[in-house]
Amino acid sequence: MQHAAIADQTPELHDPHSFITRYIWSQDHKVIAIQYSLTAVFVGLVALVLSGLMRLQLGFPDTFDFIDPSSYLQFVTMHGMIMVIYLLTALLLGGFGNYLIPLMIGARDMVFPYLNMLSYWTYLLSVIVLLASFFVPGGPTGAGWTLYPPQAILQGTPGYDWGIILMLASLAIFIIAFTMGGLNYVTTVLQARTHGMTLMRMPLTIWGIFTATVLGLLAFPALLVSAIMMMLDKVIGTSFFMPALLSLGETLDYTGGSPILFQHLFWFFGHPEVYIVALPAFGMVSDVIATHARKNIFGYRMMVWAIVAIGGLSFVVWAHHMYVSGMHPAFGFFFATTTLIIAVPTAIKVYNWVLTLWRGNIHLTVPMLFAIGFIFTFTHGGLTGLFLGNVTIDLPLSDTYFVVAHFHMVMGVSPIMVLFAAIYHWYPLITGRMFHVGLGKAHFWFTFLGTYAIYLPMHYLGFLGVPRRYFAMDGTDFIPASAQSLNASITISALIVGLSQLLFLYNVFWSLRNGKPAGHNPWGATSLEWQTPEVPPRHGNWGPELPRVYRWAYDYSVPGTEADFIPQNHPEQKGAEG
């Protein structure tokens, strides 16, 4: 399929004429991407601090008076929700999606730049509403990031009043922002590709972002209606999710609602959300690996169809998060089977990354180190997922630290490793400067080794049966005393990893002024974003003429060619087409 209807047009670019229109109310996809990224990183740092406070309590209980049980549960909840929604989703799709889609498909901007601008400001509003919950009476909700009713809106749960209301309002606003951005992404990819950029010539980064966006447009409505219905339960006393119950000795007015219905709706969104985060990461790490191994990606078409298959299958595995909810055993069998099936295309991608590295001219640059680190952490996280996808193994491990370790390896650490790989890889394009290599490598080793110092022991704690989300473990006979020593070592490791992120922040800002000029295409990459007339690209990206694409994005080390790469817009030599 080849389509360039919009690429044939000369759209109005809304060139900025003042500081405000250039950097604040900007309609340039690159500025909006940076706005998304800075906001997401800021709120992510808030979540990082919250995780440090949690670990202080777990590693050294009864030492810090300002951490009480209520605040601990609030830290847990806000950390989880911020990391999953407001950092990872926003940074991968809002940040990298905005920056890379027009550049990689050869467009001047998003199809709807004004809508794109509105998407960012709506996202910012959702973040402000979320963070405002720290300053309302009762503080933020402490219901856990899954917000399960009935406890989420009942007395006894921290933030059961204004905290949960602001959380639900923030989620609804975020989904509105996502929908505006998502429709823009899908339309841009389908309608604004430049001449020659067929679907099967698109870089895998675009395939990952495109498929994840479609997943988000289909999955987020389930979370939106859940948030609205729970808001109605809380504010006007409806009973969508609230059964008849007694609370503090009083019979409440709720009757007939189903808490399980909420779980189904939440996880119908929640499991695709894993892939809304993972698929862009899969695409980006594929491009980083191919570029820095100087080798064409192994099995491009297989990788594309694996991305699409993972996206489709992600909608039929949601209830493997609910094995302990009392579902019929037949449903457990069905969802365990679909969970194993989705492991197949996921494993294909791992094989393809490894086979791309096989006999490649591997350059151990900072982006490549993070990409290889991702393969390790994602493989480990995926293997432990097979444990939890099996009903009989999941039941004893449910709600233990094994789940925490698995979830963080596959959903936390792995996409963050890709984010760092991507930031270091595209930093020269975005800023026109190279980062400091020594600081980047130090950042990698602290993060990679620290990750294993944190999460490998957590698997063991899970096998011991240590429960997650508990404020204190005192008086729990089946947990040996040595578990506390392990918890203390995990906390120390977590604090070191957290502090090591300062190396990254220092490197990013120091290199903006002091980094060496990057020049054009310092990595020798083939994809279009590196072929712009100026670095960093200016508004409109391409000057008077759009590029024309002649080949796929992975012509590295082609036999018989002088250079070890052929850019997509290079017309003279035929290369592989995948």
Side-chain angles (χ1 to χ4, degrees), residues 126-186:
S126 74
V127 172
I128 292 171
V129 171
L130 180 77
L131 296 182
S133 65
F134 282 101
F135 305 100
V136 296
T141 178
W145 83 278
T146 50
L147 306 178
Y148 280 175
Q151 51 93 16
I153 61 175
L154 290 180
Q155 291 186 51
T157 301
Y160 75 95
D161 203 353
W162 280 104
I164 187 68
I165 289 174
L166 289 178
M167 171 66 80
L168 296 172
S170 171
L171 286 173
I173 297 169
F174 178 91
I175 294 166
I176 293 170
F178 180 91
T179 303
M180 287 192 285
L183 292 173
N184 212 355
Y185 289 8
V186 170

Side-chain angles (χ1 to χ4, degrees), residues 344-397:
V344 175
T346 309
I348 286 174
K349 302 194 74 62
V350 176
Y351 296 143
N352 287 15
W353 292 322
V354 173
L355 290 171
T356 301
L357 291 171
W358 176 253
R359 294 188 174 180
N361 180 15
I362 297 173
H363 296 190
L364 289 178
T365 58
V366 177
M368 189 59 146
L369 287 174
F370 276 100
I372 294 173
F374 158 80
I375 295 176
F376 278 94
T377 58
F378 182 73
T379 302
H380 288 157
L383 290 174
T384 55
L386 294 178
F387 285 54
L388 297 174
N390 187 308
V391 182
T392 55
I393 303 176
D394 176 82
L395 293 179
L397 291 176

Side-chain angles (χ1 to χ4, degrees), residues 368-525:
M368 189 59 146
L369 287 174
F370 276 100
I372 294 173
F374 158 80
I375 295 176
F376 278 94
T377 58
F378 182 73
T379 302
H380 288 157
L383 290 174
T384 55
L386 294 178
F387 285 54
L388 297 174
N390 187 308
V391 182
T392 55
I393 303 176
D394 176 82
L395 293 179
L397 291 176
S398 183
D399 279 331
T400 70
Y401 268 86
F402 189 91
V403 177
V404 179
H406 157 72
F407 184 72
H408 279 80
M409 287 296 279
V410 77
M411 182 68 179
V413 174
S414 296
I416 286 177
M417 296 291 278
V418 175
L419 278 172
F420 284 134
I423 291 171
Y424 285 116
H425 179 73
W426 279 292
Y427 184 87
L429 178 69
I430 297 169
T431 67
R433 299 275 180 173
M434 298 299 292
F435 51 83
H436 190 283
V437 175
L439 285 175
K441 289 188 175 180
H443 174 225
F444 166 75
W445 286 112
F446 274 113
T447 304
F448 181 70
L449 297 178
T451 290
Y452 278 95
I454 296 169
Y455 295 109
L456 278 185
M458 274 195 194
H459 290 86
Y460 175 67
L461 289 178
F463 281 128
L464 290 178
V466 177
R468 62 174 175 164
R469 296 179 179 169
Y470 274 35
F471 175 73
M473 310 292 174
D474 294 343
T476 311
D477 294 336
F478 66 87
I479 301 175
S482 59
Q484 184 53 46
S485 301
L486 211 51
N487 249 331
S489 75
I490 292 172
T491 295
I492 293 170
S493 301
L495 293 177
I496 292 173
V497 171
L499 290 173
S500 71
Q501 305 315 306
L502 296 176
L503 291 174
F504 165 72
L505 293 175
Y506 177 78
N507 198 358
V508 166
F509 290 107
W510 180 87
S511 300
L512 280 176
R513 180 176 293 272
N514 302 299
K516 296 178 182 175
H520 277 77
N521 200 1
W523 306 124

Side-chain angles (χ1 to χ4, degrees), residues 7-248:
D8 285 330
Q9 302 171 10
T10 304
E12 186 179 357
L13 288 176
H14 306 284
D15 287 324
H17 299 291
S18 66
F19 179 86
I20 290 179
T21 55
R22 182 181 297 276
Y23 296 111
I24 299 177
W25 304 113
S26 175
Q27 297 183 40
D28 185 334
H29 70 99
K30 299 181 292 297
V31 176
I32 294 170
I34 293 170
Q35 290 174 326
Y36 256 110
S37 301
L38 291 177
T39 306
V41 168
F42 169 76
V43 74
L45 289 173
V46 173
L48 183 66
V49 171
L50 294 176
S51 68
L53 294 174
M54 281 187 294
R55 287 308 319 176
L56 285 176
Q57 166 59 28
L58 293 170
F60 308 100
D62 303 325
T63 305
F64 303 95
D65 294 335
F66 62 92
I67 306 175
D68 58 27
S70 292
S71 60
Y72 172 81
L73 292 173
Q74 290 166 324
F75 297 161
V76 171
T77 302
M78 296 299 282
H79 166 77
M81 192 62 85
I82 288 174
M83 292 299 287
V84 172
I85 302 290
Y86 298 90
L87 171 67
L88 292 174
T89 305
L91 187 50
L92 283 161
L93 291 180
F96 281 98
N98 256 307
Y99 201 91
L100 294 176
I101 287 176
L103 284 167
M104 283 187 142
I105 65 172
R108 297 192 182 281
D109 207 317
M110 292 291 179
V111 169
F112 308 117
Y114 185 77
L115 189 67
N116 204 23
M117 180 185 72
L118 285 182
S119 170
Y120 166 70
W121 288 101
T122 309
Y123 162 64
L124 179 63
L125 176 63
S126 74
V127 172
I128 292 171
V129 171
L130 180 77
L131 296 182
S133 65
F134 282 101
F135 305 100
V136 296
T141 178
W145 83 278
T146 50
L147 306 178
Y148 280 175
Q151 51 93 16
I153 61 175
L154 290 180
Q155 291 186 51
T157 301
Y160 75 95
D161 203 353
W162 280 104
I164 187 68
I165 289 174
L166 289 178
M167 171 66 80
L168 296 172
S170 171
L171 286 173
I173 297 169
F174 178 91
I175 294 166
I176 293 170
F178 180 91
T179 303
M180 287 192 285
L183 292 173
N184 212 355
Y185 289 8
V186 170
T187 309
T188 301
V189 171
L190 293 180
Q191 296 293 321
R193 301 188 312 278
T194 191
H195 294 275
M197 181 60 83
T198 62
L199 289 176
M200 281 299 172
R201 283 176 173 169
M202 290 198 308
L204 289 169
T205 294
I206 300 301
W207 270 110
I209 292 173
F210 174 74
T211 310
T213 303
V214 174
L215 291 190
L217 291 172
L218 297 174
F220 269 115
L223 181 64
L224 178 63
V225 297
S226 304
I228 293 172
M229 292 161 75
M230 188 186 289
M231 182 80 84
L232 294 175
D233 282 1
K234 173 62 186 175
V235 176
I236 64 173
T238 57
S239 295
F240 290 109
F241 303 129
M242 299 297 288
L245 48 78
L246 292 171
S247 177
L248 303 177

